[in-house]
Amino acid sequence: MASRTLTRADLSEAVYRQVGLSRSESGELVEQVIGEICDAIVRGETVKLSSFATFQVRDKNERIGRNPKTGEEVPILPRRVMTFKASNVLKQRILDGHGAGGKKS
Amino acid sequence: MIKSELVQTIANRNPHLFQRDVDRIVNVVLEEISQALIQGDRVELRGFGAFSVKNRPARTGRNPRTGETVEVEEKWVPFFKAGKELRERLNAEKN
């Protein structure tokens, strides 16, 4: 199975075909959906999209890291990171799609 | 924010659209990403991040409680890597 990469263009094409808006409006709406999700994450909100995934923001404290090449200790500053947790529905669909087990036997 | 709130926000901003159309748009976007992952494709959305599927080979695991060995089947798990812009925005607002 040759792997390909989908982009915004593919998403707006899908909206164009399935919802029946104009091409330019489909693109604009896809942009708004992505933009709105990003903005909520940046505000620190948890974004829960049922049957798809949850995006969460976590605060990381400062810790001492080490440059693996030189062995030198460097402080890793406190920062905010995002976590992605796929829903069980999506995880199972991906397993099924790859012909994997995944079922309790 | 949950999906219905996302739909509501976008519907408010586009008063010429019916809410049920906005609902469909959000679902088409999420379903399109899901379908890509189910087929083993990647989805790359600049400014947001990239979705992909990672392979976890079969391994011999151990039940931590009983110490018993178990065969764990090969599996495929969805993965998301936040884009540079999103990572920068997450930290810019704090400082």
Side-chain angles (χ1 to χ4, degrees), chain A:
Chain A
M1 177 162 48
S3 179
R4 55 184 223 107
T5 300
L6 267 77
T7 62
R8 277 173 167 74
D10 299 285
L11 300 183
S12 60
E13 182 66 19
V15 169
Y16 168 72
R17 279 188 280 106
Q18 296 176 47
V19 184
L21 303 177
S22 71
R23 273 214 156 78
S24 67
E25 195 165 29
S26 299
E28 167 59 24
L29 265 297
V30 166
E31 207 52 60
Q32 286 187 31
V33 172
I34 297 169
E36 218 34 70
I37 295 173
C38 289
D39 290 352
I41 294 169
V42 171
R43 287 195 300 269
E45 284 181 42
T46 295
V47 178
K48 281 176 113 151
L49 303 170
S50 80
S51 306
F52 183 68
T54 301
F55 298 94
Q56 208 161 6
V57 177
R58 307 186 60 148
D59 282 294
K60 296 283 205 178
N61 286 324
E62 177 170 324
R63 63 188 170 90
I64 303 298
R66 203 178 277 277
N67 181 328
K69 196 167 289 183
T70 63
E72 184 189 359
E73 285 189 354
V74 279
I76 296 175
L77 299 175
R79 68 213 153 97
R80 287 163 88 202
V81 296
M82 218 208 80
T83 62
F84 165 82
K85 188 171 187 294
S87 71
N88 289 328
V89 175
L90 179 59
K91 285 197 253 184
Q92 189 60 52
R93 290 178 72 196
I94 289 172
L95 286 177
D96 293 345
H98 287 77
K103 38 198 185 267
K104 296 242 160 76
S105 51

Side-chain angles (χ1 to χ4, degrees), chain B:
Chain B
M1 180 170 84
I2 60 172
K3 189 150 78 179
S4 59
E5 293 165 336
L6 172 62
V7 169
Q8 189 62 57
T9 306
I10 295 173
N12 290 344
R13 200 189 297 161
N14 300 274
H16 61 293
L17 296 176
F18 288 114
Q19 181 154 339
R20 63 158 195 274
D21 291 328
V22 178
D23 194 64
R24 287 194 63 199
I25 293 163
V26 170
N27 283 323
V28 167
V29 169
L30 299 180
E31 184 55 25
E32 206 61 19
I33 298 172
S34 302
Q35 279 301 335
L37 297 176
I38 290 166
Q39 288 166 34
D41 292 337
R42 270 168 58 83
V43 182
E44 201 178 297
L45 302 169
R46 292 284 152 86
F48 183 32
F51 297 87
S52 59
V53 176
K54 292 205 165 180
N55 178 255
R56 301 264 181 269
R59 63 189 169 86
T60 306
R62 208 176 267 280
N63 180 327
R65 197 189 299 256
T66 64
E68 179 189 8
T69 61
V70 282
E71 293 308 317
V72 181
E73 278 182 48
E74 174 181 41
K75 53 187 170 185
W76 284 267
V77 295
F79 181 81
F80 176 78
K81 187 174 193 300
K84 188 160 172 263
E85 193 189 316
L86 182 57
R87 287 202 309 271
E88 285 173 357
R89 284 180 67 197
L90 270 171
N91 289 293
E93 310 239 325
K94 201 175 184 186
N95 304 331

